[in-house]
Amino acid sequence: MSNFVNNLPLNEWRFIETFALNNASGQFRRTGHLYKMTFVIGTKVIRCDSLSDSSYLSLATFANIQAGDSNPAILVGKPMTSS
């Protein structure tokens, strides 16, 4: 994934070729989507013109995570507690 981080800016469209879709499960899900996209050998990320103003992705906000308002099964990690 580190090879692609600079080619996947937020709020910009990209074509992604050659990838796998797997069931999204586990304690540290990033979104509520049922499937996750996995980059594999041969994955290509290609620039393209904007096709829509929609982002089609909803992530939990940091403020909601801190406040405990988000579904704990769909967080990046466990909330930190102060010691």
Side-chain angles (χ1 to χ4, degrees):
M1 190 67 188
S2 61
N3 296 335
F4 299 103
V5 73
N6 292 329
N7 291 324
L8 294 168
L10 292 174
N11 300 317
E12 290 188 23
W13 280 79
R14 294 291 188 260
F15 290 122
I16 302 174
E17 296 179 353
T18 312
F19 59 90
L21 288 179
N22 301 301
N23 287 326
S25 61
Q27 185 176 1
F28 302 113
R29 290 175 54 191
R30 284 142 179 90
T31 71
H33 296 286
L34 296 177
Y35 301 97
K36 63 180 176 180
M37 177 188 288
T38 304
F39 286 19
V40 296
I41 294 173
T43 296
K44 293 180 183 178
V45 177
I46 303 164
R47 290 182 183 189
C48 69
D49 293 330
S50 292
L51 302 174
S52 167
D53 291 333
S54 297
S55 65
Y56 302 105
L57 180 67
S58 59
L59 301 173
T61 65
F62 187 69
N64 285 351
I65 293 170
Q66 280 188 314
D69 295 336
S70 296
N71 182 339
I74 308 176
L75 298 178
V76 175
K78 291 185 179 182
M80 294 177 59
T81 57
S82 57
S83 49

